[in-house]
Amino acid sequence: MGNGQSRREMLAGSGAAMLAASLPACGWAQEPPKRKLGYAIVGLGSYATRQIMPRLKECEHAKLVALVSGTPEKLERFGSEYGIPKTHRYSYAEYDRIRDNPDIDIVYVVLPNALHAEYSIRASQAGKHVLCEKPMAVSVAECQAMIAAAKKAGKKLMIGYRSRFQAHNLRAIELVRSGFVGKPRLITSEHGFTISPNQWRLDRPLSGGGSMMDIGIYSLNAARYLAGEEPIEVSAMESTGKADPRFRTVEDRIDWQMRFPSGALAACVSSYSSNHNAYRVTGTEGWVGLEPATAYEGQQMWTRTKGKTEQVTLPVPAKNQFVGQLDHMAECVLTGREPIVAGEEGLRDMRLIEAIYRSAREGRAVKLAKA
Amino acid sequence: MGNGQSRREMLAGSGAAMLAASLPACGWAQEPPKRKLGYAIVGLGSYATRQIMPRLKECEHAKLVALVSGTPEKLERFGSEYGIPKTHRYSYAEYDRIRDNPDIDIVYVVLPNALHAEYSIRASQAGKHVLCEKPMAVSVAECQAMIAAAKKAGKKLMIGYRSRFQAHNLRAIELVRSGFVGKPRLITSEHGFTISPNQWRLDRPLSGGGSMMDIGIYSLNAARYLAGEEPIEVSAMESTGKADPRFRTVEDRIDWQMRFPSGALAACVSSYSSNHNAYRVTGTEGWVGLEPATAYEGQQMWTRTKGKTEQVTLPVPAKNQFVGQLDHMAECVLTGREPIVAGEEGLRDMRLIEAIYRSAREGRAVKLAKA
């Protein structure tokens, strides 16, 4: 705040230069390339078909070129809709044949959690770059195997942390780093939704766990990117109504606390039986918060400093979070840079998720070994 | 919600009948008495002189009749200002002589925490009713001794939980109990302020502890009155910068979680290095929250149900929280009823505070024995 910029300029962003500075960029050696990289989408569930595939049309460096699904009707329907030729539509039995399709540069794995590792590793082995949805996998061991497979193939591995490409989240991070709230002391981060019965998320063999392996990862990842440092201790408490048929194999709610090296604490919520989507970073000088924080759209930001609470309106960014994420991966492939949310980032969350589960199970705080 | 009352009526309160119903009442057997009960204020710090004493003038059933202080100048200044005769001004050496003053019905102890037990017990022994500030004392053992002393004297003992007489807090409790948010699943409750150095709150022998023994009790007590049930397990994490000269003998921040028998969880914050004053109860159907929640004034209420967030404006109540609290104690003395926040309520919080400290110290969840 000592650079002569007024507080209001800082909040609203002082024009295009500042906004550009806040967005991840890969930087081109010379001219940006003309060729758009080709994405294969693996798993044609609602997130893939409603959120991802429509956004590929808006990308600067990427396009949709192939589909993978176990449902022939879906391949036919979305293949026709997106103009994907039959040669570029794959069943899971045919999955490894993506190796022979040079139009496919990047494989985006949008499958149930327990299938992430297998389909990411096979994509790496097929010589493709991989973008995989979060949580990265269902165990630390799987995450490590995915990282090793991508490394062996000499290809990129990125995890779908879309909030890192969302304008309000980027501005919140920037405000915290700039000292706007003073020294961060307490981060609260709540995410949850009321889950409908009869879906893969409630089936442990497919999901790997309950709300913590789904919506809860937003609370966890946000606490980490807002803090800008890695937790050294976690303490968790689970609450699951075993009589509720939705929760026969997975947990409902987990609340947990994290301690950071600076002394900041985080209090996080993950729920499958109540709706939450908010975070706040309170520091020695005030706070900044979003609600909703990590929704597909509609983010709202508030700040409080010097005893005054204000809503902050940000300019509409050139790319929304979905387009930003898809283009970032393509840019990283084209420039050779590492994604800002590479496999190692997914692994960090998974280590913490395992620690959170262990803490809840054993009723004790769990200290984290340095990775 | 099934009684035909519309949601808006419920939120805003359908007139005087509903507001009256929500306020604690003692109920007169016949006519309300004409005589106002006399309060002696013990300890003339800023809370007593700025918040309590001015409000006694507004009370229906109470008046200020005596002052106790170790500072002759304060006795002179406030004695003159409030028209308290010299015979009704006491030093601590003269404290036990309140026994001989029939004008004093109730002794309000507004001393540093570590003195609460002694001065409350001596007031009971002097045959007076006692209203004591929160935290009730600095240990469970002290709380039990205070309860025993009041019982032996056959006099009332009430703890100064003023939020239980504050309109927004009462409405929030009412909304939660009515099922407005569905089944409560998660309560967040944050309280903190940036403490100035060099005061008794930072001196363990006087305070008994740090933020948890001061502002943190608001988070704790609110979580309990919002839940409407008693926690069965707590898990806490402390963070204190030992290099900060303010925190040589007491803790800065404690975050803790509580599990309730219904399965609801609470995530609570207590801080001496950041400003917080908010709570929210999120249930299966929505949420209700206040921010500020427990300030002296200016409470604001929001609710969210059916995907819509609304601010709720309440009618100005006949009595503010300070007047409500002072009159409630007087009414209980006059009618023989028990205060809604008797000594047992202070003891419940103190049991939990001891469990929270133990959990933070030992790095494990602590189960609560049924009291």
Side-chain angles (χ1 to χ4, degrees):
Chain A
M1 296 298 283
N3 61 355
Q5 206 178 28
S6 82
R7 186 163 164 286
R8 184 160 295 280
E9 279 172 339
M10 180 163 220
L11 280 171
S14 50
M18 187 161 180
L19 188 63
S22 74
L23 285 163
C26 277
W28 308 107
Q30 300 179 332
E31 283 289 285
K34 293 287 178 289
R35 185 173 87 87
K36 286 187 174 187
L37 296 191
Y39 269 92
I41 302 294
V42 184
L44 300 180
S46 76
Y47 186 72
T49 58
R50 291 186 204 169
Q51 304 303 329
I52 303 301
M53 284 155 54
R55 265 59 177 250
L56 274 159
K57 294 176 187 165
E58 303 170 40
C59 285
E60 203 179 346
H61 306 295
K63 60 183 178 181
L64 179 63
V65 298
L67 300 173
V68 183
S69 171
T71 311
E73 295 73 24
K74 284 189 180 177
L75 286 175
E76 175 55 32
R77 176 184 159 200
F78 293 107
S80 299
E81 185 177 335
Y82 285 89
I84 308 300
K86 288 202 162 47
T87 52
H88 289 53
R89 304 177 192 170
Y90 301 87
S91 69
Y92 290 115
E94 301 161 327
Y95 181 62
D96 296 317
R97 286 173 41 202
I98 59 173
R99 177 194 309 268
D100 306 319
N101 189 334
D103 293 340
I104 301 173
D105 299 289
I106 302 162
V107 170
Y108 191 168
V109 178
V110 204
L111 292 164
N113 306 340
L115 304 174
H116 286 182
E118 180 189 339
Y119 284 82
S120 294
I121 290 168
R122 283 165 65 185
S124 297
Q125 290 169 342
K128 305 302 182 185
H129 302 283
V130 175
L131 173 54
C132 179
E133 258 313 306
K134 63 193 173 310
M136 181 173 174
V138 297
S139 70
V140 164
E142 283 189 347
C143 294
Q144 290 169 326
M146 291 163 74
I147 292 169
K151 193 175 177 186
K152 190 176 173 191
K155 301 295 173 185
K156 303 289 180 203
L157 172 59
M158 171 171 154
I159 311 304
Y161 289 107
R162 60 179 163 74
S163 296
R164 293 289 297 278
F165 303 91
Q166 199 282 325
H168 297 75
N169 282 270
L170 293 170
R171 185 55 45 84
I173 294 170
E174 202 170 58
L175 286 173
V176 174
R177 295 291 180 283
S178 75
F180 180 78
V181 301
K183 197 172 173 178
R185 299 285 77 191
L186 200 286
I187 298 166
T188 54
S189 187
E190 299 179 46
H191 287 81
F193 65 95
T194 305
I195 198 162
S196 309
N198 306 317
Q199 53 170 298
W200 69 262
R201 285 177 180 80
L202 297 170
D203 183 15
R204 181 175 291 274
L206 284 174
S207 61
S211 68
M212 188 67 235
M213 290 292 278
D214 191 85
I215 191 72
I217 203 169
Y218 289 91
S219 290
L220 172 60
N221 197 248
R224 288 180 50 243
Y225 62 68
L226 292 166
E229 52 181 343
E230 295 302 324
I232 53 175
E233 188 179 1
V234 302
S235 172
M237 193 177 273
E238 186 205 320
S239 183
T240 303
K242 287 297 178 191
D244 189 322
R246 295 175 299 175
F247 305 128
R248 283 205 192 99
T249 67
V250 300
E251 83 278 0
D252 169 8
R253 274 161 294 135
I254 289 200
D255 291 359
W256 74 97
Q257 299 165 126
M258 299 194 286
R259 182 197 306 283
F260 293 93
S262 68
L265 297 175
C268 301
V269 169
S270 172
S271 176
Y272 263 169
S273 61
S274 46
N275 294 318
H276 310 253
N277 194 310
Y279 63 62
R280 184 184 286 189
V281 183
T282 305
T284 49
E285 307 297 330
W287 56 255
V288 54
L290 301 188
E291 180 164 18
T294 63
Y296 294 161
E297 58 187 0
Q299 270 75 357
Q300 295 196 68
M301 172 180 270
W302 283 263
T303 61
R304 184 173 175 86
T305 51
K306 300 182 173 65
K308 199 176 164 205
T309 305
E310 289 181 271
Q311 183 160 14
V312 180
T313 306
L314 298 183
V316 177
K319 296 180 182 180
N320 69 33
Q321 59 186 327
F322 298 97
V323 175
Q325 172 176 280
L326 292 161
D327 263 344
H328 177 74
M329 178 60 166
E331 290 169 11
C332 288
V333 169
L334 290 165
T335 61
R337 298 205 183 181
E338 270 305 284
I340 59 165
V341 282
E344 287 73 11
E345 176 72 0
L347 172 60
R348 282 181 206 111
D349 274 351
M350 192 54 57
R351 282 190 204 281
L352 284 161
I353 290 174
E354 289 193 353
I356 288 163
Y357 279 136
R358 188 180 323 133
S359 173
R361 199 169 55 237
E362 299 180 2
R364 64 177 184 88
V366 171
K367 291 195 195 310
L368 281 309
K370 289 198 176 162
Chain B
M1 295 297 285
N3 61 354
Q5 205 177 28
S6 80
R7 185 165 165 284
R8 184 159 296 279
E9 280 172 338
M10 180 163 219
L11 280 171
S14 50
M18 186 159 180
L19 188 63
S22 72
L23 286 164
C26 276
W28 308 107
Q30 301 181 333
E31 284 289 288
K34 292 287 179 290
R35 185 173 88 88
K36 287 187 174 187
L37 296 191
Y39 269 92
I41 303 295
V42 184
L44 300 181
S46 76
Y47 186 72
T49 58
R50 291 185 202 168
Q51 304 304 329
I52 303 301
M53 284 154 55
R55 265 58 177 250
L56 274 159
K57 293 177 189 166
E58 302 170 41
C59 286
E60 203 179 347
H61 305 296
K63 60 182 179 181
L64 179 63
V65 298
L67 300 174
V68 183
S69 171
T71 311
E73 294 73 25
K74 284 189 181 177
L75 286 175
E76 175 54 33
R77 176 183 158 199
F78 293 106
S80 298
E81 185 178 333
Y82 285 89
I84 308 299
K86 287 200 164 44
T87 53
H88 289 53
R89 303 176 192 172
Y90 300 87
S91 68
Y92 290 116
E94 302 161 329
Y95 181 62
D96 295 316
R97 286 173 41 201
I98 58 174
R99 175 193 310 268
D100 306 318
N101 189 335
D103 293 340
I104 300 173
D105 299 287
I106 302 163
V107 170
Y108 191 168
V109 177
V110 204
L111 292 165
N113 306 339
L115 305 174
H116 287 183
E118 178 188 342
Y119 284 83
S120 293
I121 290 169
R122 282 165 66 185
S124 296
Q125 289 170 342
K128 305 302 180 184
H129 303 281
V130 174
L131 173 54
C132 178
E133 258 312 306
K134 62 192 174 312
M136 181 172 174
V138 297
S139 71
V140 164
E142 283 189 346
C143 295
Q144 290 168 327
M146 291 163 74
I147 292 169
K151 193 176 177 186
K152 189 175 174 192
K155 301 294 173 184
K156 303 290 179 201
L157 171 59
M158 172 171 155
I159 312 303
Y161 289 108
R162 61 178 163 75
S163 296
R164 293 291 296 279
F165 303 89
Q166 198 283 324
H168 297 76
N169 282 270
L170 292 170
R171 185 56 44 86
I173 294 170
E174 200 169 60
L175 286 173
V176 174
R177 295 291 180 283
S178 74
F180 179 79
V181 301
K183 196 171 172 179
R185 298 285 78 191
L186 200 287
I187 298 167
T188 54
S189 188
E190 299 180 46
H191 286 81
F193 66 94
T194 305
I195 198 162
S196 309
N198 306 317
Q199 54 171 299
W200 69 261
R201 285 178 180 78
L202 297 170
D203 183 15
R204 181 176 293 273
L206 283 174
S207 60
S211 70
M212 188 67 235
M213 289 293 279
D214 189 86
I215 191 72
I217 203 168
Y218 289 91
S219 290
L220 172 60
N221 197 250
R224 289 179 49 242
Y225 62 67
L226 292 166
E229 51 181 343
E230 295 302 324
I232 53 176
E233 188 179 0
V234 303
S235 173
M237 192 177 275
E238 186 205 321
S239 183
T240 303
K242 286 296 176 192
D244 188 323
R246 295 175 299 176
F247 304 129
R248 283 205 193 99
T249 68
V250 300
E251 83 278 1
D252 169 9
R253 274 160 295 135
I254 288 201
D255 291 0
W256 73 97
Q257 298 164 126
M258 299 193 287
R259 182 197 306 283
F260 293 93
S262 68
L265 297 175
C268 302
V269 169
S270 172
S271 175
Y272 262 169
S273 60
S274 45
N275 295 317
H276 311 252
N277 195 310
Y279 63 61
R280 186 184 285 188
V281 182
T282 306
T284 49
E285 307 297 329
W287 55 256
V288 54
L290 302 189
E291 180 165 17
T294 63
Y296 295 162
E297 58 187 359
Q299 270 75 356
Q300 295 197 67
M301 172 180 271
W302 283 264
T303 61
R304 184 174 175 86
T305 51
K306 299 181 174 65
K308 200 177 164 204
T309 305
E310 289 181 90
Q311 183 161 12
V312 180
T313 305
L314 298 183
V316 177
K319 294 180 182 180
N320 69 33
Q321 60 187 326
F322 297 97
V323 175
Q325 170 175 281
L326 292 161
D327 262 345
H328 177 72
M329 179 60 168
E331 289 169 11
C332 288
V333 169
L334 290 165
T335 60
R337 298 206 183 181
E338 269 304 284
I340 60 165
V341 281
E344 287 73 11
E345 177 71 0
L347 172 60
R348 281 180 207 111
D349 273 352
M350 192 55 56
R351 281 190 205 282
L352 285 160
I353 290 174
E354 288 193 354
I356 288 163
Y357 279 136
R358 188 180 322 133
S359 173
R361 200 168 53 235
E362 299 180 2
R364 62 176 185 87
V366 171
K367 292 196 196 308
L368 282 309
K370 288 197 177 163

